[in-house]
Structures are given as C-alpha cells and as structure tokens.
Amino acid sequence: MITLALSKGRIYDETLPLLREAGIEVAEDPEKSRKLILPTNRPDVRVVLVRASDVPTYVQHGGADLGVAGLDVLLEHSDAGLYRPLDLKIARCRLSVAARAGFDYAAAVRQGSRIRVATKYTTLARQHFADKGVHVDLIKLYGSMELAPLTGLADAIVDLVSTGSTLRANQLVEVEHVMDISARLVVNQASLKLKREPVRALIEAFERAVS
Ligand code: ATP
Ligand code: MG
C-alpha cells in the first residue's frame, strides 16, 4: 500500500488533477465525507488528509510514504529525513514582508531601527532579516497575521501573498519579496528503498503530469 498525505483545501484541490493525470482517482470527496483516509481507484494507493503543517511530520516518520507540502512549510519544518524530488508548480504564491500603508519600512531599515514583525514563519523571517542586516523582534502568530500591524502589535508581517487582495483589504502594502513558494512532492526515504518500484513509478507519474 502506498499512502499519500495531502492537506484539505488548495493543496488537495490542485493535486487532484495531477493524480488524475497519473491515472489515480480519489474515490470520495473530502468536503462531503468526514473520512481522513480516502481510497482511490488503485487498490494499492490511498490518500490521508492531515493539516498542511503536519505533512512533513507524517512523511518523515512513515505515517505516509509521500506527501505534498508548500515550500514554506518544508523550510519552516526541519526537513531532515525527507527526500524532496519534485516541484509540482501548484499552490504558487510568494512569501513577502508587508507593512501598514503609513509605515515607512525603507526609512526604518535605513535608520537601523528595530522593527517588530509578526509572523507564522519565524525561521524563514529570522533568516531573511539576518541576511539583510535588519534588526527585528519577531512575534510568533498562528494566523490572521494581517491584523497585527492594524492593532499595533507589530510594524510589519511576513506572510504568504498570492493576489494581494487580503493585504489591500487590510490597508497593508507589500514592501519586500522574500521568496517564491510552490508545493513540493516529498518522499519518505525508507519508502524509497523498501517500496522502490511503486514509489518510483508514482514519482515519475507526477513528473509527467507536471510537465
Ligand atoms: P490552515 O489554513 O489549516 O491553518 P494552512 O494555512 O497552512 O493551514 P492552506 O491555507 O491550505 O493551509 O495552505 C497550504 C499551502 O498552500 C501553504 O503552505 C502554501 O504553500 C500555499 N498557500 C498558502 N496561501 C496561499 C495563497 N494565498 N495562494 C497560493 N498558495 C497558498
Ligand atoms: Mg491558510
């Protein structure tokens, strides 16, 4: 049995066409059923639904043989023990620094002021500001980052942006691009050895579906 870990929402929705291209149809709609293990048309392939940030953990510890996770999640998580073979080019967005429209980020950086930055991505943010030599106090949040500058909790945020409409709706402006993000196929290293043939075949099917 090959187990593929996906998270509900955009990762699931955007992986489905790639699976279909690879000849794999998920038998049930996760939005309609409450099941966390979804069979497919292939008796040897099943999908498990986990939190987006739990995908690397499942794959790393063998709860799943493969998984699909955003590069943001993979880089925040230490991805030791994960084989990361493929950019699926789905769930594309960018990691950016955004600030309140009235906050002069460039001036604050120029003056070497300490900036308070709220983010879910503390590892990536710490790295980014260290590389630029910007002094920051990081505030860890788990969601609704946009609220932080509006309430005075922080001067800026580091968050994922795709169209920018959420930022605009909250009077925030993107002031720095940190990195481009897309979802990656990750593979458990033991599965790659012990289930070599079927796992290789699935990776290659994903490769063909992407290109
Ligand atoms: P949860 O919403 O359950 O707290 P999450 O925010 O990590 O978890 P999703 O919103 O489904 O889960 O995001 C999953 C992945 O999709 C992210 O890790 C990221 O790689 C990508 N992603 C997030 N936001 C966007 C976006 N606005 N546009 C495109 N891709 C995105
Ligand atoms: Mg989300």
Side-chain angles (χ1 to χ4, degrees), residues 133-153:
V134 176
H135 302 291
V136 291
D137 287 321
L138 292 176
I139 301 167
K140 169 83 181 183
L141 290 179
Y142 292 89
S144 302
M145 265 81 83
E146 304 82 13
L147 190 59
L150 306 180
T151 54
L153 179 68

Side-chain angles (χ1 to χ4, degrees), residues 10-11 14 70-73 87 89-96 121 159-164 174 177-184:
R10 58 171 63 84
I11 296 279
E14 298 186 28
L71 184 62
D72 51 314
V73 168
D87 182 355
K89 303 194 170 138
I90 57 168
R92 294 174 99 141
C93 53
R94 55 192 182 274
L95 189 69
S96 293
Y121 304 99
D159 198 7
L160 298 174
V161 182
S162 52
T163 62
E174 229 173 322
H177 173 272
V178 179
M179 66 174 73
D180 288 322
I181 299 287
S182 58
R184 310 293 157 117

Side-chain angles (χ1 to χ4, degrees), residues 99-105 171 173:
R100 206 167 7 86
F103 180 77
D104 194 343
Y105 176 78
Q171 292 94 48
V173 286

Side-chain angles (χ1 to χ4, degrees), residues 23 72 85-86 100 119 129 148 166:
D72 51 314
L86 197 57
R100 206 167 7 86
T119 186
F129 292 114
T166 306

Side-chain angles (χ1 to χ4, degrees), residues 45-63:
V45 178
R46 63 179 184 176
V47 168
V48 293
L49 297 173
V50 304
R51 246 341 247 277
S53 48
D54 290 337
V55 168
T57 307
Y58 267 83
V59 176
Q60 194 166 11
H61 298 288

Side-chain angles (χ1 to χ4, degrees), residues 76-137:
E76 269 299 306
H77 182 96
S78 94
D79 63 357
L82 283 180
Y83 176 62
R84 184 163 13 126
L86 197 57
D87 182 355
L88 297 176
K89 303 194 170 138
I90 57 168
R92 294 174 99 141
C93 53
R94 55 192 182 274
L95 189 69
S96 293
V97 183
R100 206 167 7 86
F103 180 77
D104 194 343
Y105 176 78
V109 168
R110 216 169 30 242
Q111 289 154 13
S113 327
R114 268 197 111 70
I115 300 170
R116 279 176 311 150
V117 178
T119 186
K120 178 168 144 184
Y121 304 99
T122 47
T123 305
L124 291 173
R126 184 170 296 112
Q127 186 69 55
H128 172 73
F129 292 114
D131 288 349
K132 305 208 71 158
V134 176
H135 302 291
V136 291
D137 287 321

